[in-house]
């Protein structure tokens, strides 16, 4: 099958590469000429394990193409995936301007029956707006071309997106016509050979399913972070509580790890958008409001612990930060806890040396230039260089490379042997035995 994917960001690039891997001929379209040229030369705009090889291999084989022209790409295709960004507005609502811009372009360029697929995460009712926009463009052209708009939300975990796409738990297809449903089932047939994974529903149900899924996962995280705060005040180790409740099959172990808050491009944005959608319908989403509030507060827990330990004036203190991305396996720093913590420490006069296995270049772009120019934030070449002559280690992202550090080497190079563990990666007893003071999440200080 011949597809057009509009947007070569995280979702679009993974979608295009994986469909090409399964035999479809895919053209990824983007208005950013530099990005398209880079992709042709094997330079990806994001870090995602396994994606670079997938893109390179399928581009060489001709099953994956890149273009800046939707008009040319549309000539031989009848399925169009919209995979552009939907950034949050100031009021928390999803900004649909890019989605509707693409819809207008599609309306100007299709010449036969087409299926237009909303792959971007969009609010309930977006498919109706896309359909109306395309109809208007067709009317302007004076043509009557049949088309269907489908909702096919993505459920990709950053750091495991390629595997998630190639081996999905489920494939949600929101569709209003049998013709479009048959096209989508044929397209996804290679991904569900061992069992039926397609769940069909109407379009609005599919749009809501994506928001409900991400909000549910965010709720589990915020709930466990709430419990961690209670545990800490009661002298209870939240890690034992986590194991105890996770063993209940009704609860499970996924997404109940206490930490310093969730981030990324999905959970924060989608929770905000669902809150705004609810408010627009005259409903106050008390639980979702609490989920968001707890997460915002949780991102301040580590800096609060540091200030409690050292006082408000940190002008004579230097800290090491391990991990800058919002989670391991990605260089994505959107809504990351690291930025919130850094901002508070730097405002309090501290100096910080930071290291992340893959997000260093992204940090240089994302963080304010002033943080670097005044010398208060420095990016180290490796984890042990970052920790030299520091007053404390702050673990923010639980990369594998941080799991079993050389505590002896750390003790020999740090000014003060103190660890602020934002992901409860270390055993407090082991850390204490190595001569360190330990501050975790939902645990007594040792």
């Amino acid at each position: 099958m011949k597809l057009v994917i509009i947007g070569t960001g995280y979702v679009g690039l993974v979608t295009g590469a994986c469909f090409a891997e399964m035999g479809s001929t895919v053209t990824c379209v983007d208005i950013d000429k530099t990005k398209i040229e880079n992709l042709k030369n094997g330079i990806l705009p994001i870090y995602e394990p396994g994606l670079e090889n997938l893109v390179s291999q399928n581009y060489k084989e001709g099953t994956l193409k890149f273009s800046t022209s939707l008009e040319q790409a549309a000539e031989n295709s009848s399925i169009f995936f919209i995979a552009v960004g939907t950034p949050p507005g100031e009021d928390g609502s999803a900004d649909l301007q890019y989605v509707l811009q693409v819809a207008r372009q599609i309306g100007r360029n299709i010449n036969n029956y087409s299926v237009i697929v909303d792959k971007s995460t969009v609010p309930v009712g977006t498919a109706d707006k896309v359909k109306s926009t395309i109809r208007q463009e067709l009317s302007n052209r004076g043509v009557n071309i049949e088309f269907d708009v489908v909702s096919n939300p993505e459920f990709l975990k950053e750091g495991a997106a390629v595997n998630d796409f190639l081996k999905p738990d489920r494939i949600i297809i929101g569709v209003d016509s049998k013709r479009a449903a048959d096209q989508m089932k044929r397209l996804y047939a290679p991904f569900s050979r061992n069992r039926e994974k397609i769940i069909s529903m109407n379009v609005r149900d599919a749009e809501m399913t994506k928001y409900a899924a991400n909000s549910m996962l965010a709720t589990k995280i915020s709930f466990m972070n709430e419990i961690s705060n209670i545990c800490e005040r009661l002298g209870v180790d939240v890690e034992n509580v986590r194991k105890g409740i996770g063993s209940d099959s009704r609860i499970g172990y996924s997404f109940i790890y206490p930490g310093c808050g969730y981030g990324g491009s999905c959970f924060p944005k989608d929770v905000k958008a669902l809150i705004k959608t609810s408010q627009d319908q005259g409903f106050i989403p008390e639980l979702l409001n609490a989920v968001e509030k707890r997460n915002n507060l949780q991102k301040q827990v580590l800096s609060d612990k540091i200030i409690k330990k050292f006082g408000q004036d940190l002008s004579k203190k230097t800290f090491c930060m391990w991990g800058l991305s919002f989670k391991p396996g990605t260089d994505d720093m959107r809504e990351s806890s690291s930025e919130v913590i850094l901002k508070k420490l730097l405002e309090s006069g501290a100096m910080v040396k930071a290291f992340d296995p893959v997000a260093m270049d992204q940090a240089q772009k994302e963080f304010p230039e002033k943080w670097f120019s005044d010398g208060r934030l420095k990016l180290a070449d490796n984890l042990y260089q970052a920790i030299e002559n520091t007053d404390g280690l702050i673990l923010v992202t639980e990369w594998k490379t941080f799991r079993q550090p050389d505590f002896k080497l750390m003790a020999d190079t740090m000014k003060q042997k103190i660890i602020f563990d934002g992901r409860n990666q270390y055993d407090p007893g082991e850390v204490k035995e190595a001569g360190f003071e330990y501050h975790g999440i939902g645990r007594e200080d040792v």
Side-chain angles (χ1 to χ4, degrees), residues 139 143 297 428:
S139 176
V143 296
L297 292 171

Side-chain angles (χ1 to χ4, degrees), residues 26-43:
V26 181
T27 302
C28 288
V29 177
D30 201 293
I31 59 173
D32 188 328
K33 294 180 180 179
T34 301
K35 184 185 286 189
I36 291 298
E37 287 305 310
N38 283 341
L39 284 167
K40 290 179 179 179
N41 291 309
I43 302 172

Side-chain angles (χ1 to χ4, degrees), residues 1-4 73-80 110 112-116 183:
M1 301 183 76
K2 295 182 178 180
L3 322 174
V4 175
E75 289 178 359
N76 299 308
S77 301
S78 60
I79 300 180
F80 299 82
I110 58 174
N112 46 47
Y113 172 76
S114 299
V115 176
I116 292 83
Q183 287 267 51

